[in-house]
Amino acid sequence: MIRRDMIPRGLQNLLIEKIKYSPVILIHGPRQCGKTTLAELVGKSQGYSYFTMDDPDTRNHAQSDPKGFVGNIQTPMIIDEIQMAPELFRVIKMRVDEDRIPGRFILTGSTNLLHVPDLANSLTGRMVVLHLYPLSQHEIGQFHASAFLERLFAKDFQTQHYYEPLGVDLINRMVSGGYPEALKSPSDQARTSWYRNYSQALIQRDVLDLEKVQSMDVIPKLFTVAANLSGQLLNMEDIASKLQMSKRTVRDYLTLLERQFLINRLPPWFSNRMKRLTKKPKIHIGDSGLACTLLRIGSDSLQNNRSQLGHILESFVVEELRRQASYDTQHYEFYHYRDTDDDEVDLLVELSSFELGAIEVKASSKVVQSDFSGLRKIKSVEGDRLKVGVLLYDGERCSCFGDGMYAVPLRLLWENPK
């Protein structure tokens, strides 16, 4: 059933476009981010039948007789949480090969099926994959301006206007996160309880059950350690030492968390012109509200811990841009930059092989020229390929620092510019 209080999703128009020509559309993303609601919203007016593999009877039917399950339905189908009945993939492939009717199947999955070769390969060339994240701040505010990434490469920053700093509101947004049900909670305590129950249920229901992990307590501990490292370089040796586990086990279990969209790795930037670069990715928790709950951090404690605030703010910004990029018509690649001199930039955005943008995040209301040192270092090597460098801060105005470098208030990451 479609909820009347549903916040419109940026991915909706893209989904409507894709079902016009692709026989299979997979919407994947973490549980409770809104995949089912979106699929039903689009499919309701077009005669789709809905089936969820969360229902035991439906799942048993699909697993025991996948050919009959798919073949007996004459209408286009929404199959929810399809990772729980992988037997359906081969039958869907057969049906599509028989008749490539556009929009025949809308699938949703809470596991990244692209990490499962047999499943992904069965629908290669037959399936469009859309990634639905928790709500972006851009969606929460229902802003109709172009997404930030488009304005980034257009250098659309008005330097003559002033903006109210976010202050405590920024902290509250980070602690609240972007899961629809969490945002509807009547109190901070209720929201924290929702996130805690969500993480526990997800780990036990999906990670431990589907992957047959033997130890019940290792994954939750690892998830908390990952939350504490959000916005920092991923060091397998340090994590293995803290948890008294092998490096291989840490790597395998982090992959499980990544497959459930609970963590994301931000790969390092590579350039033939820059030889002394780190090869380690950064780790980011997929949602800041979930990270704060795992770390038992509320608004007050986050505001008073500047180091932790900086790391979680970095993840908050990176994940906000991932979310906006997921419903943008352009394709963006994201990286971080760090060299052996410890010069770093939080986020590099590659629009094409010839267009690069750089973003640094600062949990402060003031900026100075030295804050642009990492951005300028990339500019000195990449030259005109680096179209723009932006330092996001909680200040009052956009300011140009020369050579395509700007200080930009954080609220413009999702709000309409004046």
Side-chain angles (χ1 to χ4, degrees):
M1 180 179 294
I2 306 304
R3 300 179 60 151
R4 293 183 179 181
D5 57 354
M6 174 189 171
I7 295 175
R9 302 307 302 261
L11 203 64
Q12 181 175 335
N13 289 337
L14 198 55
L15 175 57
I16 292 172
E17 175 190 340
K18 299 303 182 184
I19 63 176
K20 294 177 182 178
Y21 69 84
S22 178
V24 184
I25 299 92
L26 170 65
I27 308 170
H28 69 183
R31 281 190 181 271
Q32 297 291 324
C33 72
K35 301 184 299 297
T36 302
T37 305
L38 176 61
E40 287 191 286
L41 179 65
V42 172
K44 183 178 180 181
S45 63
Q46 302 192 39
Y48 279 79
S49 298
Y50 172 79
F51 304 90
T52 177
M53 296 302 108
D54 273 335
D55 177 71
D57 292 336
T58 304
R59 183 170 66 250
N60 289 337
H61 181 194
Q63 291 172 334
S64 61
D65 184 17
K67 190 173 182 180
F69 179 83
V70 173
N72 292 334
I73 307 300
Q74 301 305 311
T75 59
M77 302 175 69
I78 297 171
I79 305 178
D80 203 10
E81 301 298 351
I82 193 169
Q83 78 279 354
M84 302 182 74
E87 296 85 356
L88 291 175
F89 277 87
R90 186 177 297 276
V91 178
I92 291 173
K93 174 184 179 297
M94 292 170 56
R95 290 289 180 264
V96 169
D97 288 345
E98 290 170 0
D99 192 345
R100 298 179 71 91
I101 300 172
R104 189 168 183 178
F105 298 96
I106 297 178
L107 315 176
T108 80
S110 297
T111 295
N112 192 338
L113 300 175
L114 301 183
H115 288 188
V116 185
D118 290 343
L119 301 184
N121 292 339
S122 66
L123 289 174
T124 299
R126 304 167 181 85
M127 180 174 70
V128 167
V129 180
L130 302 178
H131 192 149
L132 188 69
Y133 292 85
L135 290 160
S136 68
Q137 299 299 313
H138 190 247
E139 290 172 312
I140 292 170
Q142 299 185 46
F143 295 107
H144 300 293
S146 58
F148 179 82
L149 291 169
E150 183 178 333
R151 288 184 275 120
L152 174 72
F153 284 94
K155 300 181 185 179
D156 183 16
F157 305 117
Q158 302 297 320
T159 58
Q160 66 268 37
H161 295 295
Y162 285 81
Y163 302 88
E164 185 71 24
L166 289 163
V168 176
D169 182 54
L170 175 62
I171 305 293
N172 290 336
R173 287 173 182 268
M174 294 163 62
V175 173
S176 297
Y179 280 88
E181 291 303 316
L183 291 171
K184 294 170 187 171
S185 299
S187 66
D188 293 347
Q189 183 178 9
R191 185 189 62 239
T192 299
S193 178
W194 187 92
Y195 274 120
R196 186 180 299 113
N197 292 334
Y198 171 80
S199 62
Q200 291 173 352
L202 186 63
I203 288 173
Q204 294 203 6
R205 178 182 185 177
D206 287 349
V207 178
L208 296 180
D209 184 39
L210 292 180
E211 301 299 336
K212 310 302 180 187
V213 176
Q214 298 300 314
S215 177
M216 296 292 288
D217 62 343
V218 170
I219 294 290
K221 289 179 181 178
L222 179 60
F223 195 17
T224 301
V225 169
N228 197 46
L229 294 174
S230 193
Q232 301 175 60
L233 291 177
L234 176 57
N235 190 317
M236 296 284 190
E237 292 83 358
D238 285 353
I239 297 176
S241 177
K242 287 179 182 178
L243 296 178
Q244 296 184 328
M245 297 164 53
S246 70
K247 181 179 173 181
R248 179 177 179 178
T249 301
V250 168
R251 182 182 66 247
D252 290 345
Y253 284 1
L254 283 175
T255 298
L256 296 184
L257 294 175
E258 192 171 17
R259 281 180 54 185
Q260 302 306 125
F261 306 103
L262 295 174
I263 65 172
N264 294 309
R265 301 186 207 205
L266 186 65
W269 171 251
F270 173 79
S271 172
N272 289 328
R273 302 176 185 179
M274 308 177 81
K275 303 298 184 182
R276 301 169 63 206
L277 300 177
T278 183
K279 297 180 180 179
K280 292 182 179 178
K282 276 191 172 182
I283 186 171
H284 291 288
I285 294 294
D287 185 84
S288 59
L290 188 54
C292 289
T293 297
L294 289 169
L295 298 174
R296 301 180 182 181
I297 297 174
S299 297
D300 292 341
S301 55
L302 183 59
Q303 190 172 12
N304 293 326
N305 188 329
R306 301 303 294 181
S307 175
Q308 202 153 46
L309 171 61
H311 291 309
I312 294 180
L313 176 59
E314 182 180 333
S315 289
F316 175 78
V317 169
V318 170
E319 295 306 314
E320 172 68 17
L321 290 173
R322 286 190 199 271
R323 296 172 191 193
Q324 292 187 24
S326 71
Y327 50 81
D328 199 304
T329 55
Q330 299 274 17
H331 177 73
Y332 301 95
E333 296 285 349
F334 295 125
Y335 306 90
H336 80 89
Y337 168 85
R338 184 166 183 163
D339 61 26
T340 53
D341 296 325
D342 288 334
D343 287 320
E344 58 184 325
V345 172
D346 296 328
L347 187 64
L348 291 183
V349 185
E350 190 176 48
L351 175 57
S352 70
S353 59
F354 300 104
E355 293 184 274
L356 190 65
I359 299 172
E360 181 71 11
V361 183
K362 185 177 181 181
S364 173
S365 61
K366 303 293 183 183
V367 295
V368 295
Q369 281 284 358
S370 60
D371 293 327
F372 290 83
S373 60
L375 297 169
R376 294 191 184 281
K377 187 165 188 178
I378 297 176
K379 180 69 174 180
S380 68
V381 176
E382 295 295 340
D384 291 341
R385 187 186 176 198
L386 184 69
K387 301 299 181 182
V388 61
V390 163
L391 193 151
L392 290 170
Y393 78 119
D394 193 24
E396 296 181 338
R397 62 178 295 177
C398 292
S399 301
C400 181
F401 280 70
D403 205 20
M405 302 290 163
Y406 295 85
V408 176
L410 270 159
R411 68 185 318 133
L412 293 187
L413 190 59
W414 56 83
E415 288 189 5
N416 301 326
K418 296 177 182 179

